[in-house]
Amino acid sequence: LVGESGALGRHLVSTAWLVKAVLRTCWDFDYKLLRMAPKRTCSASEWKQAGNESFKHGQYGQAVGYYTEAINILQKSGSKSPEELSILYSNRAACYLKDGACTECIKDCSAALDLIPFGIKPLLRRAAAYEALERYQLAYVDYKTVLQVDCNLQAAHDGVNRMTKALIEKDGTEWRKKLPSIPSVPLSKQTRWELTPEKKLIDACGKRNISSGEQNGVLPLRKVPTEGEIQRAKALKEEGNEWVKKKNYRKAVDKYSESLKFNNQECATYTNRAFCYLSLNQYQAAIKDCTEALKLDAKNVKAFYRRAQAFKELKDYTSSLADIKQLLEVEPNNTAAQKLFQEVRKLMK
């Protein structure tokens, strides 16, 4: 009996040690995050900060709880700050998206957008959630809406391209007819026309500042050109056209680039330069110029055709076909596009 009691005692001690070790491990693991948790009497901003810290540490479920506390406080207080509440909904939506709770993410993004319409982050997060749920039409609408707000966001351009391919595969060439209406973003909400201090084109003395963007041949923003700038740009474009006729594509690129410094709203200048880049085997540059042209004119046939050619040369046949199909929606009888379509289809086999 004594021996059995001794063994039992050792077993109990061993079990107690194991439980204690597990508790200590759990405590050490969560210690930093527990220190971040505010007390129940804390303000909405403190709960929000705790949520931000949890999100940084990948504790998305915990962050959801903190953001919810902040939302509840603002709602109960009858807060007159829709911006703050919209941010909280958007932040909580980001947590849901990370955890794969796409339906909850969509609900929170919609709540954020009801408070502050056309917010870029909730639009992008909702688009990503729609995409994950394979609701491609709604994702496409959100990505396109983002581009109305800021046409320079690459994430939105990539999203539109992915959704276009998915919708073509799903609905064929008539996919656009099945789309919901895309909301029109008012100018007051569009950031693409705003001048930041780093990108001002005119300084206090009225002299032109040459930015890094201009040095690359494109104005950093789509500034409305003056009549004098339009005429100067036109003359330079025509000089570029003359160099194209002589098949001196490098000289032509230089002239088109100079032209874009004065007027970067001329679609033909981008497509002309893209043609030169294709001739010089600079396919990525050609794709970039065609994309810029399509931002200005979403149905530009030359931009679709030349970008499709560039994608073909880079062996990105899926993207090439997507561009050709969009071109054929605009011009169904375009024989050059039909021929290119057959060529790419053969290469894919």
Side-chain angles (χ1 to χ4, degrees), residues 15-292:
T15 301
W17 178 86
L18 180 60
V19 171
K20 188 176 181 180
V22 170
L23 289 172
R24 180 176 294 142
T25 301
C26 292
W27 171 260
D28 289 342
F29 181 78
D30 281 341
Y31 178 65
K32 289 184 179 180
L33 293 176
L34 286 171
R35 283 195 308 170
M36 294 187 294
K39 297 176 182 178
R40 290 284 173 182
T41 55
C42 285
S43 66
S45 62
E46 288 171 312
W47 280 115
K48 175 188 171 186
Q49 182 59 34
N52 293 347
E53 291 299 319
S54 292
F55 187 90
K56 288 177 186 176
H57 287 82
Q59 299 295 314
Y60 306 121
Q62 193 171 58
V64 164
Y66 293 156
Y67 290 135
T68 301
E69 290 287 348
I71 289 169
N72 290 339
I73 289 171
L74 288 181
Q75 287 178 332
K76 288 176 183 177
S77 67
S79 173
K80 295 181 180 180
S81 175
E83 293 86 356
E84 187 63 26
L85 196 53
S86 178
I87 290 169
L88 286 167
Y89 276 119
S90 180
N91 286 2
R92 192 171 69 176
C95 300
Y96 285 136
L97 187 61
K98 289 285 188 181
D99 275 343
C102 295
T103 301
E104 296 303 315
C105 172
I106 290 166
K107 288 179 183 177
D108 270 7
C109 289
S110 297
L113 292 165
D114 286 341
L115 291 162
I116 304 294
F118 306 113
I120 287 176
K121 286 184 178 180
L123 278 170
L124 282 174
R125 288 164 185 167
R126 190 171 69 178
Y130 280 139
E131 184 175 352
L133 294 173
E134 298 184 4
R135 298 168 70 180
Y136 299 134
Q137 292 176 337
L138 294 173
Y140 180 89
V141 168
D142 276 352
Y143 284 130
K144 289 292 282 187
T145 304
V146 169
L147 290 176
Q148 288 185 68
V149 180
D150 188 344
C151 65
N152 295 311
L153 282 175
Q154 190 59 45
H157 283 293
D158 293 342
V160 167
N161 290 335
R162 287 195 307 274
M163 295 308 94
T164 300
K165 292 175 189 176
L167 288 167
I168 289 172
E169 290 175 7
K170 180 174 177 284
D171 298 325
T173 56
E174 301 294 312
W175 66 275
R176 287 185 186 274
K177 295 180 180 179
K178 300 179 181 180
L179 285 175
S181 60
I182 298 172
S184 180
V185 178
L187 284 173
S188 60
K189 295 290 184 180
Q190 296 180 20
T191 60
R192 57 183 168 176
W193 303 107
E194 295 176 3
L195 289 177
T196 59
E198 295 82 7
K199 293 181 178 180
K200 281 183 179 175
L201 301 174
I202 308 295
D203 64 17
C205 299
K207 296 178 181 178
R208 298 184 82 247
N209 292 328
I210 304 300
S211 68
S212 59
E214 282 186 281
Q215 291 168 6
N216 292 328
V218 183
L219 289 175
L221 297 172
R222 297 208 184 283
K223 167 184 167 284
V224 178
T226 65
E227 184 59 33
E229 287 174 325
I230 291 172
Q231 292 304 318
R232 179 62 178 145
K234 184 179 179 182
L236 287 163
K237 186 182 82 169
E238 289 173 355
E239 288 181 40
N241 294 345
E242 290 302 315
W243 284 116
V244 169
K245 290 176 184 177
K246 297 174 183 177
K247 297 188 178 181
N248 191 330
Y249 300 116
R250 294 191 186 280
K251 288 279 189 181
V253 164
D254 290 341
K255 291 299 178 183
Y256 292 138
S257 297
E258 285 184 58
S259 176
L260 287 168
K261 291 179 185 178
F262 292 97
N263 181 10
N264 62 0
Q265 297 186 66
E266 180 59 47
C267 195
T269 310
Y270 284 111
T271 55
N272 288 2
R273 192 169 67 172
F275 173 81
C276 297
Y277 282 137
L278 280 170
S279 302
L280 294 167
N281 300 327
Q282 296 180 26
Y283 303 120
Q284 292 290 359
I287 289 168
K288 186 176 179 181
D289 269 5
C290 290
T291 301
E292 289 297 321

Side-chain angles (χ1 to χ4, degrees), residues 158 161-162 164-165 168-169 287 294 303-327 340-341 344 348:
D158 293 342
N161 290 335
R162 287 195 307 274
T164 300
K165 292 175 189 176
I168 289 172
E169 290 175 7
I287 289 168
L294 288 166
F304 277 129
Y305 184 77
R306 287 170 186 170
R307 193 168 70 175
Q309 287 180 304
F311 279 133
K312 174 195 165 191
E313 296 301 325
L314 292 172
K315 294 181 170 56
D316 185 351
Y317 302 130
T318 303
S319 297
S320 182
L321 276 183
D323 275 350
I324 300 167
K325 286 176 180 178
Q326 289 191 76
L327 187 163
L340 183 60
F341 181 85
V344 176
M348 292 181 76

